[in-house]
Amino acid sequence: MSRPTSLNIAPPSLLPIDGSKVEWRVLDGLSPYEATLAAMEARVEAIAAGEAPEAVWLLEHPALYTAGTSANPADLLAPDRFPVFSTGRGGEYTYHGPGQRVAYVMLDLKRRRPDVRLFVMALERWIIDTLAAFNVTGERRADRVGVWVARPKKPPLADGTMAEDKIAAIGIRLRKWVSFHGIALNVEPDLSHYSGIVPCGIAGHGVTSLVDLGLPVTMSDADIALKKAFGPVFGAIQ
């Protein structure tokens, strides 16, 4: 049974208690994974030390797989297909690649609410409200982190329930209550690349994207929607 979506209930927000702003950057091109991760970790340390403002980086990676702290080696079905990176974020295997908008979210939860569950729900709400800008109904699932869309035109699942596909993944880590890693929203990635893993360790479900749903959405369109939806959940951006 699905959890209520933010379209139907008063959703959580994590507004800063001091009214501070969040620096927003869009990185051009394909960002190399290891160098970007190192830069993100350095920024997290600076935020924790009070030497830099909170930040959100929007970017794309080249095609690769990442393994979270709960990754099952058996879920890596094609280990030689793309580079594989072990990462400290929560979760299992996921895919990153061109056409997917990755948002690295570096927020100081001490200045908001030091509540990991609430933070994950807020990220879900951000994605759901972003999808709503394109008339897509995103949904939470009580037993599956991420955001899902119903696919009534697909054959039902083995238990007779409606098919559904994952459109956005969430994987986070906290250091000194500053968050990093974040979300990955499928705008127009090559969905066949997901066949090399069991995405997030969840078998039996598919993945989709905004373009796969028949929507001519560009990365710039997605960025505009993400930026507009961010403020009500997390506060002002620069």
Side-chain angles (χ1 to χ4, degrees), residues 7 128 130-138 148-149 167 210 213 215:
L7 304 179
I128 289 168
T130 297
L131 294 173
F134 305 107
N135 296 315
V136 173
T137 300
W148 301 77
V149 294
I167 195 168
L210 288 165
L213 293 173
L215 300 168

Side-chain angles (χ1 to χ4, degrees), residues 122-170:
L123 291 172
E124 290 174 335
R125 181 209 161 185
W126 179 32
I127 298 166
I128 289 168
D129 290 352
T130 297
L131 294 173
F134 305 107
N135 296 315
V136 173
T137 300
E139 298 182 1
R140 298 181 174 110
R141 291 291 178 260
D143 58 344
R144 291 181 255 130
V145 174
V147 176
W148 301 77
V149 294
R151 303 303 303 271
K153 295 183 179 180
K154 282 190 166 185
L157 301 178
D159 61 1
T161 58
M162 184 183 298
E164 58 187 20
D165 290 340
K166 193 170 191 176
I167 195 168
I170 296 173

Side-chain angles (χ1 to χ4, degrees), residues 53-188:
E54 297 173 305
V56 174
W57 294 350
L58 299 183
L59 55 100
E60 293 173 84
H61 284 305
L64 57 91
Y65 298 130
T66 64
T69 54
S70 302
N72 180 351
D75 289 340
L76 181 60
L77 306 178
D80 299 323
R81 187 170 187 183
F82 298 122
V84 181
F85 297 94
S86 295
T87 179
R89 62 158 176 81
E92 304 186 45
Y93 282 104
T94 193
Y95 166 77
H96 294 314
Q100 181 192 72
R101 179 51 91 205
V102 173
Y104 285 139
V105 182
M106 292 160 273
L107 301 180
D108 187 349
L109 298 191
K110 296 193 305 294
R111 294 158 56 184
R112 297 167 181 272
R113 286 180 61 181
D115 185 322
V116 177
R117 181 175 179 273
L118 180 60
F119 178 56
V120 171
M121 291 181 66
L123 291 172
E124 290 174 335
R125 181 209 161 185
W126 179 32
I127 298 166
I128 289 168
D129 290 352
T130 297
L131 294 173
F134 305 107
N135 296 315
V136 173
T137 300
E139 298 182 1
R140 298 181 174 110
R141 291 291 178 260
D143 58 344
R144 291 181 255 130
V145 174
V147 176
W148 301 77
V149 294
R151 303 303 303 271
K153 295 183 179 180
K154 282 190 166 185
L157 301 178
D159 61 1
T161 58
M162 184 183 298
E164 58 187 20
D165 290 340
K166 193 170 191 176
I167 195 168
I170 296 173
I172 64 165
R173 187 176 179 183
L174 297 177
R175 182 175 295 161
K176 300 177 183 176
W177 283 108
V178 179
S179 67
F180 57 120
H181 296 281
I183 69 169
L185 173 64
N186 288 342
V187 179
E188 192 181 8

Side-chain angles (χ1 to χ4, degrees), residues 6-7 19 26 39 43 50 53 57 113 115 137 209 227 234:
S6 69
L7 304 179
V26 179
R43 181 58 176 264
W57 294 350
R113 286 180 61 181
D115 185 322
T137 300
S209 68
K227 195 169 186 178
F234 297 109

